[in-house]
């Protein structure tokens, strides 16, 4: 798996439509039909100079690729799929926008598939129930395992996102979860907080995100010389605001409640924040709060939310680039695991009102 | 336009694959192959009883429709597209989740297409650049006009959402914008507020949402005997948090600032709220605030956001139902414009802390 799964078209078939065709564009640009086809397909083994020439010719001739005809001819649609668990988790919505933009630069259209993290739907996605429709797949699975994906019979090129599958059968773009969680927890400890809670632990198979971030949290506490109090680790069913609100309420029932909370995503943090403010706690004076994802939401709440900001633009670009390399055959063989940048963004929920 | 555009398959071709086929399911369920096909395609002219029998047989035989083969045979994919401007506007993300759920109940898969409100991309969507891929389209356009859609050559069944096109060439599901905006403004006037501002007016062609909601706002002010002060009507470039924050800042520069603001969507309201709190205003004591959309975000902010809640579940169900009726031929002829329910949800941003 992971090998390029379709050969690059060696020659486009003669174009006998009356509309402007690949041949006309090739003639005007002074390049081969294959080069035009590569540009139209968004493939990377075209120099920027050649690409510009072809794009100029496409514009002059008002050439509009006939996808249906091209489909039949090349077995390609110019369409890739992005499959994510839930679009109303803003992290995925923001990622979707960026993937659409990155793909557009390559001349590719993105169709988005919301799986709900449902095993059956994820299997449909992986098994390419619509393998005649898409040229490639960017997939953030929650239910499927590496074994599931290795057993995949569909050969549509695929790039994986998320924490679910590491060192699996496809290229993978991922965040340094342990390191990032460690930094967020260090930040809270550095403020002098001593009872730092964690919201977001998950027991089930899909809980890899929670496990990695919990590992970073534990590591930071140990490094800071703080005891790990298991009662301060709040499990959740899902990563929505309501889960964060409930988990925070449980933590506040403790005789010795936390003075800081690291939430494993921003939605959990925003839910926790609501519970804290509703009950009259001052944030950050009494309880400091940090999240993970840097969704826009957290930048407009009051207080604004300190958070780990993964470079979502980099994730999106890399995912599209790696996929296009597999689609074009430019990348072959061993699968790649690529870690992207992140940074801790300190805002009011830990730093208090910043001087404006 | 608006007529059913594909005939229902009258008979499925013989199935000679070795896998379990339509014929096997039909035999076990004691129905015709056509009926099985209708169930598999999620069409509505099947009684619930028959549907249950067919679904039972599908389950027993572990029948998995071969979409590719079915495609060729019936010219159908079992896939519909949902095209919306922006997924990181939570209203559209929430709608997408509900459309996916409603479609799933009909056995249909949804692929989501984010147009960015870009005219070229919307034209691609309308012109069915992928008309071999999808059986129907639920489309919320921002740039295209009714004339654009009437000139459409693609005949894939379509249902429209949003305010952009009324009485257009396709079935349309929409909110009572004027009435809802009027109710929200009445609510603010009913609190004794006398300088009620509006954030969200738009001048450009795509500003139909703003125009309708502004009309409702004006109507309510007149009914309440309040003057319409044009300086209290804040235009915006877009409907994001940042636009609301900027518009609120401008309103506060006035010598006689507002004591209430009706924002034409929740994102604008959340941006405005941030500006108010950042500058030390008390909400709602000094400035009361209402939005529109009832996104989850507004339920977790502090204060929680009073808002017009359109029935998004109803919108999604109706859109899928109307589309399936066109796809199946059950609905023919004149296009339908269907208004959905909404209600005003009063929360802390106008009512203050509610007794818990």
């Amino acid at each position: 798996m992971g090998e390029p799964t379709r050969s690059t078209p060696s020659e486009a078939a003669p174009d006998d439509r009356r509309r402007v065709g690949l041949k006309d564009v090739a003639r005007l640009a002074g390049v081969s039909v294959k080069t035009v086809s590569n540009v139209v397909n968004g493939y990377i083994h075209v120099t920027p100079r050649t690409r510009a020439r072809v794009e100029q010719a496409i514009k002059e001739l008002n050439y509009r690729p006939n996808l249906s005809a091209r489909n039949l001819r090349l077995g390609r649609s110019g369409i890739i799929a992005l499959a994510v668990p839930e679009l109303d988790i803003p992290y995925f919505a923001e990622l979707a926008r960026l993937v659409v933009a990155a793909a557009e630069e390559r001349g590719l259209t993105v169709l988005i598939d919301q799986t709900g993290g449902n095993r059956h739907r994820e299997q449909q996605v992986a098994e390419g129930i619509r393998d005649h429709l898409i040229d490639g797949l960017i997939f953030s699975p929650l239910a499927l395992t590496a074994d599931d994906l290795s057993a995949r019979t569909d050969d549509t090129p695929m790039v994986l996102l998320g924490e679910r599958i590491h060192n699996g059968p496809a290229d993978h773009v991922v965040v340094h979860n342990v390191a990032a969680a460690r930094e967020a927890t260090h930040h809270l400890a550095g403020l002098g907080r001593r009872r730092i809670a964690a919201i977001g632990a998950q027991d089930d198979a899909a809980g890899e995100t929670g496990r990695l971030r919990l590992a970073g949290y534990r590591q930071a506490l140990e490094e800071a010389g703080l005891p790990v109090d298991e009662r301060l680790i709040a499990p959740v069913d899902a990563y929505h605001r309501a889960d964060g609100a409930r988990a925070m309420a449980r933590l506040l029932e403790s005789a010795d409640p936390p003075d800081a909370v690291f939430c494993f995503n921003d939605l959990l943090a925003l839910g926790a924040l609501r519970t804290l403010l509703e009950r009259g706690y001052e944030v950050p004076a009494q309880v400091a709060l940090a999240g993970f994802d840097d969704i826009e939401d957290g930048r407009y709440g009051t207080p604004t939310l300190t958070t780990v900001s993964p470079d979502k633009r980099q994730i999106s670009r890399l995912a599209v680039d790696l996929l296009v390399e597999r689609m074009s055959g430019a990348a072959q063989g061993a699968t790649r695991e690529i870690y992207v940048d992140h940074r801790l963004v300190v805002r009011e929920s830990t730093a208090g009102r910043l001087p404006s």
Side-chain angles (χ1 to χ4, degrees), chain A:
Chain A
M1 293 298 291
E3 279 90 343
T5 50
R6 290 173 178 185
S7 59
T8 312
S10 59
E11 192 71 65
D15 193 328
D16 54 11
R17 286 167 294 148
R18 276 151 304 169
R19 304 192 331 163
V20 173
L22 283 179
K23 279 207 298 197
D24 306 294
V25 176
R27 202 174 301 123
L28 181 61
V31 300
S32 71
V33 167
K34 185 184 165 200
T35 300
V36 176
S37 158
N38 284 341
V39 170
V40 168
N41 282 289
Y43 293 154
I44 54 165
H45 48 67
V46 180
T47 65
R49 196 196 157 105
T50 303
R51 181 182 300 274
R53 214 159 60 193
V54 171
E55 280 168 356
Q56 181 56 34
I58 285 175
K59 213 165 144 189
E60 277 179 34
L61 294 171
N62 196 20
Y63 169 68
R64 183 172 158 236
N66 181 330
L67 283 188
S68 310
R70 207 176 72 190
N71 258 347
L72 296 172
R73 210 163 57 229
L74 308 181
R76 290 184 186 282
S77 64
I79 297 171
I80 62 173
L82 169 68
V84 296
E86 292 181 72
L87 286 167
D88 50 359
I89 289 190
Y91 175 77
F92 290 117
E94 294 185 9
L95 204 62
R97 177 174 52 77
L98 293 167
V99 167
V100 167
E104 211 157 68
E105 287 175 18
R106 304 307 206 98
L108 295 168
T109 297
V110 180
L111 291 181
I112 300 160
D113 200 325
Q114 173 174 281
T115 63
N118 174 287
R119 185 173 167 80
H120 172 67
R121 286 283 297 116
E122 289 194 351
Q123 228 144 11
Q124 283 190 327
V125 167
E127 285 301 332
I129 200 163
R130 59 187 70 99
D131 60 350
H132 292 104
L133 312 188
I134 64 156
D135 296 341
L137 169 64
I138 298 173
F139 189 12
S140 180
L142 269 191
L144 296 191
T145 63
D147 285 349
D148 288 327
L149 290 183
S150 296
R152 179 171 178 249
T153 55
D154 181 53
D155 60 4
T156 306
M158 174 171 67
V159 169
L160 294 172
L161 300 178
E163 289 72 43
R164 176 69 173 141
I165 296 170
H166 279 267
N167 304 310
D171 292 338
H172 183 205
V173 180
V174 69
V175 175
H176 284 287
N177 280 283
V178 177
R182 183 173 154 268
E183 287 164 41
T185 312
H186 265 303
H187 168 63
L188 296 170
L191 299 171
R193 306 298 163 128
R194 290 297 168 259
R195 291 189 53 72
I196 303 172
I199 294 181
Q202 290 199 294
D203 282 336
D204 63 334
E208 194 58 23
T209 303
R211 268 189 293 281
L212 293 169
R213 295 180 188 176
L214 189 59
Y217 160 84
R218 286 180 189 278
Q219 199 178 313
L221 290 186
E222 279 158 28
E223 287 163 357
L226 295 171
V228 175
D229 181 346
E230 299 294 333
R231 291 166 304 178
L232 289 180
I233 298 174
V236 295
D237 291 331
Y239 274 32
H240 294 149
R241 294 178 182 87
D243 302 289
R246 278 193 297 268
M248 191 71 238
R250 284 194 306 273
L251 286 170
L252 292 176
E253 283 163 15
S254 153
D256 192 7
D259 56 10
V261 188
F262 170 43
C263 298
F264 294 175
N265 83 351
D266 282 355
L267 287 187
L268 291 172
L270 291 166
L273 178 61
R274 173 66 196 166
T275 296
L276 286 166
L277 298 179
E278 206 169 38
R279 300 187 177 203
Y281 284 84
E282 278 174 42
V283 178
Q286 292 173 278
V287 183
L289 195 67
F292 200 118
D293 281 351
D294 192 16
I295 61 174
E296 190 183 270
D297 209 344
R299 280 170 245 159
Y300 283 87
T302 302
T304 53
L305 189 64
T306 292
T307 188
V308 171
S309 180
D311 190 334
K312 288 180 282 240
R313 190 173 303 273
Q314 197 185 12
I315 294 170
S316 307
R317 280 186 181 282
L318 274 169
V320 171
D321 287 356
L322 293 177
L323 187 62
V324 169
E325 284 175 21
R326 295 290 177 183
M327 283 157 54
S328 68
Q332 311 211 0
T335 60
R336 297 162 290 181
E337 181 131 311
I338 299 190
Y339 283 84
V340 300
D341 300 330
H342 66 267
R343 63 200 176 91
L344 183 72
V345 181
V346 175
R347 300 205 187 96
E348 296 166 2
S349 69
T350 61
R353 274 304 289 276
L354 301 165
S356 54

